[in-house]
Amino acid sequence: MEYHEAPTYNSKTSAVITWFLVCLCAVVVVVVAVTVFKVKLNSLLYVGILLLCPLIHFVMMKSGSHKH
């Protein structure tokens, strides 16, 4: 009987899986908000753009260093 090792994931693969799950959750939240709670899509887009700005700053500054 042969035993196979579980697949190992490197950090890049793990990051891709994490981002995929985050985006999938965001899509589910938008669909539920529009269908169940009857939120207008243009107001969700406006709030999403407002929240995206600080998120982009966190991603850009994740290293913490200010080397130029």
Side-chain angles (χ1 to χ4, degrees):
M1 191 185 290
E2 281 187 40
Y3 292 101
H4 297 284
E5 292 182 20
T8 57
Y9 299 109
N10 58 17
S11 62
K12 187 173 183 179
T13 305
S14 177
V16 169
I17 292 171
T18 303
W19 277 108
F20 174 75
L21 291 175
V22 167
C23 292
L24 184 66
C25 289
V27 169
V28 168
V29 166
V30 168
V31 168
V32 168
V34 170
T35 58
V36 175
F37 298 111
K38 307 293 185 208
V39 177
K40 292 181 182 178
L41 193 59
N42 59 356
S43 63
L44 277 179
L45 182 66
Y46 179 72
V47 171
I49 289 172
L50 286 177
L51 293 176
L52 189 64
C53 184
L55 180 65
I56 289 173
H57 282 89
F58 280 122
V59 171
M60 287 190 309
M61 298 295 177
K62 70 179 178 181
S63 66
S65 63
H66 295 285
K67 297 177 184 174
H68 296 274

